[in-house]
Amino acid sequence: MQCFDTVRRTGARLMTVPLPETAASVQSRPWFVLPARPSGRALWARAGLFAVWLMVVALLVSQHVFWRDEVRAFSLALQGDSLIAMARGVQGEGHPALWYILLRLAHMVVPVREVLPGVAAAIGIVGAAILTFRAPFRLWFVAIVLFGAFGLFEFVVMARNYGISMVVLFAIALAYDRGRDRGILLGLLLLALCNTNAQAIFFAGGILLFWLVEIVCAHGLRPNRAWREWAVAAALTLIGVVLCAVTVYPPFNDAAVSPRSEALSVGLIVQSMLSVAAPFGDLMPDMLKWIPGIAVLLGLLMMGSVLSLIRTPAGLLSGVVVLVALLLFFQLVYPGSYRHQALFLVFVMTIHWLVAQGHGGRWPGDGTAFRLMEGIGQGAFVVLLALQLLTSYDILAGAARGVPFGRAADLAALIHRRGLDDATVMADPDVMVEALPYYADNPIWMVREHKFGRVVRFTRHAQIHLTAGDLLHTAQDLRRMRGKPVVIVIQRRMNPDAPAFRERAGYVGSYSSTPEQVRAFLDATTRIAVLRPARTDEDYAVYLLKDPVTGS
């Protein structure tokens, strides 16, 4: 019986036709989707591609210098005497607990610092293997994804929690066929997805919405087992959302929240929904951002990527809802970086995977205009994925030139080389030395928070305004308090000939200096290194406070 007739009898308005693949639906299959699972030589070709990818990843991992957010999570994961104490410590940090738990458990089994890159790489490799050998995509499409910036670097080399989202989304695609008859299976996966990162809640909701629309297409609104299994999965997802919420809120990083969230209005919400390019700006490679009108192109590619799901009502609706949710989240709650934005591409891939398996329902018509829109959308999605190869080129070019991701490893080597292993380290901005604990055990003084620590809190309850004079006086106080050398890491140029200025610093703070303050700082310190450049913002000059007795 046709789905449209079933839905019409139950009073629903969704106009769809049966779920099973027909000759027309096979003909309209996206050109990046395989007609059948690969076997024989095709599998060997995929194995060769995966091996090449694995070698490039291994090279990048071996050269990677950890950035502050990577080490920040590691420091938080190792705090406290137990998992429960650790969980209390990360409450309010802004991320769910799953990544911290994985790091903590790995370190309990193998108590070495290398578990940080090891866990991240293992997760990324699993995701890449699922994509390569189990996803219904053509080899060239898989290659674009593997060697795009998020597949090659962001979700495998960068030791962050976002690669887990990719693995869980792919696992949901693998389990979806049997999971619809066992709601607890998909429910547990969705629960886990909600606790990979805060925005993953939207992806979990998108999967549930996809499943719901498919049920309506196939069974209408009559109560049956399909609805019961969906309800079980929805209940487990809700538990995941609650666990995420109680871990993330209330945030102690209160200064990191978007200031626009405090001035919500209908107009602001509508404006955020219509602004497509800006919240996803990092998906456009840096080398192209100078081109006039490139933001308009990015907006069209984003909308086209959703349009690529038009052939199924479940796919199109879930894509639109998730895109709108992310637009609002990135603009009203927390601005998204590349790692956040790229997950939307993974979500769209996951929906295409489900549609390729025959899920998502069908529209009743399949006219020329429909196929044209579908083809434009698919082309836009492939172009957007292909652009990530240019970002990968920048990453590989930086690695080839020997430019490190950050300078924390060089800073640690400098400290050790000069016999300053017991020196106090302080920085402006404070976050410049959050990565240092991975490489050195020096005590770190948080200048704005007036305390020792390893993790900076982005809070309004700290010293909002800082001057060059404050830096010098703080270093001198630390020298008197501990009787140990003080190393000062400065990202700004200390130019005594520059006029007085005041500028924004961090989320809500500011920094100022006068020529007199800078001269006093330079007279009381010795610059021992300039650690520049870096592929991130973690490059700086390093100063040593002179001995107050010897003056050297």
Side-chain angles (χ1 to χ4, degrees), residues 162 171 226 332 348 417 519:
Y162 301 94
L332 302 180
V348 174
R417 188 166 61 248
R519 290 190 190 98

Side-chain angles (χ1 to χ4, degrees), residues 300-524:
L300 293 174
L301 292 177
M302 290 297 302
M303 292 187 289
S305 296
V306 175
L307 192 65
S308 71
L309 300 168
I310 195 173
R311 76 190 189 105
T312 64
L316 180 62
L317 186 59
S318 62
V320 169
V321 169
V322 170
L323 177 60
V324 170
L326 290 176
L327 289 174
L328 294 174
F329 183 76
F330 290 157
Q331 296 181 88
L332 302 180
V333 180
Y334 189 84
S337 300
Y338 182 79
R339 53 191 174 273
H340 310 98
Q341 299 164 20
L343 280 177
F344 179 70
L345 303 180
V346 178
F347 174 76
V348 174
M349 274 192 290
T350 302
I351 299 299
H352 273 297
W353 187 333
L354 298 178
V355 172
Q357 294 173 335
H359 301 296
R362 296 286 181 270
W363 302 105
D366 190 17
T368 303
F370 182 92
R371 290 195 296 271
L372 177 62
M373 288 188 293
E374 181 184 30
I376 292 173
Q378 292 167 11
F381 183 50
V382 171
V383 168
L384 190 54
L385 286 173
L387 285 173
Q388 310 316 304
L389 295 171
L390 297 180
T391 304
S392 290
Y393 173 81
D394 280 343
I395 293 170
L396 293 171
R401 293 194 305 268
V403 179
F405 197 68
R407 288 291 183 170
D410 293 332
L411 175 61
L414 172 68
I415 288 172
H416 180 70
R417 188 166 61 248
R418 295 186 66 99
L420 298 170
D421 298 290
D422 60 349
T424 305
V425 179
M426 54 178 278
D428 176 54
D430 292 317
V431 294
M432 286 299 104
V433 289
E434 273 194 316
L436 182 62
Y438 187 85
Y439 300 100
D441 294 325
N442 294 74
I444 296 173
W445 180 259
M446 304 299 179
V447 178
R448 291 182 183 266
E449 295 181 74
H450 305 161
K451 67 178 185 179
F452 287 102
R454 293 188 169 192
V455 175
V456 176
R457 295 199 171 203
F458 307 111
T459 175
R460 294 177 173 88
H461 304 292
Q463 183 175 347
I464 299 299
H465 181 62
L466 191 69
T467 70
D470 293 332
L471 291 175
L472 176 57
H473 297 151
T474 299
Q476 292 168 337
D477 289 343
L478 287 170
R479 178 71 190 231
R480 286 191 294 268
M481 179 175 64
R482 292 193 69 234
K484 302 292 184 181
V486 178
V487 174
I488 311 166
V489 174
I490 304 289
Q491 190 178 45
R492 297 175 178 85
R493 268 64 171 177
M494 301 296 281
N495 182 4
D497 298 322
F501 72 94
R502 180 169 181 156
E503 64 183 13
R504 182 178 176 179
Y507 289 100
V508 296
S510 61
Y511 173 86
S512 68
S513 72
T514 65
E516 294 76 21
Q517 290 173 340
V518 173
R519 290 190 190 98
F521 179 89
L522 295 176
D523 288 343

Side-chain angles (χ1 to χ4, degrees), residues 144-163:
I144 288 176
V145 176
L146 286 182
F147 288 94
F150 65 89
L152 186 67
F153 184 80
E154 197 71 42
F155 295 161
V156 61
V157 178
M158 282 284 286
R160 300 298 306 277
N161 49 322
Y162 301 94

